[in-house]
Amino acid sequence: MFSNPQPPTSKAHDDPIVSYSQALHDYTLRLWTESRRMAEEKARSRAVRKEAEASRRRRELENSQAPQASPTASHT
């Protein structure tokens, strides 16, 4: 009754629609991969900057809370 589907032949690979579809898929995948790489790189860069800013703020806070010698006390 029903015929078994035929396996793809080399003729299917010569079909311009199949060729175009594969090329479009490959192109889209490359664009998506590059976009993800750039987004991850940007996120890493932001994390590094955020950590550097936090470290700078901690140092400033520690320096502002450290006891400071009074310059007028040694002139007696």
Side-chain angles (χ1 to χ4, degrees), residues 7-34:
T9 62
S10 63
K11 194 173 188 181
H13 296 291
D14 295 335
D15 184 3
I17 302 279
V18 172
S19 233
Y20 174 78
S21 177
Q22 185 62 49
L24 185 59
H25 175 268
D26 294 344
Y27 173 72
T28 305
L29 181 61
R30 279 194 311 272
L31 285 179
W32 179 83
T33 303
E34 180 65 14

Side-chain angles (χ1 to χ4, degrees), residues 57-69:
R57 286 183 180 166
R58 279 193 300 270
R59 278 188 310 243
E60 287 177 355
L61 183 60
E62 289 169 358
N63 289 342
S64 68
Q65 292 178 348
Q68 297 178 359

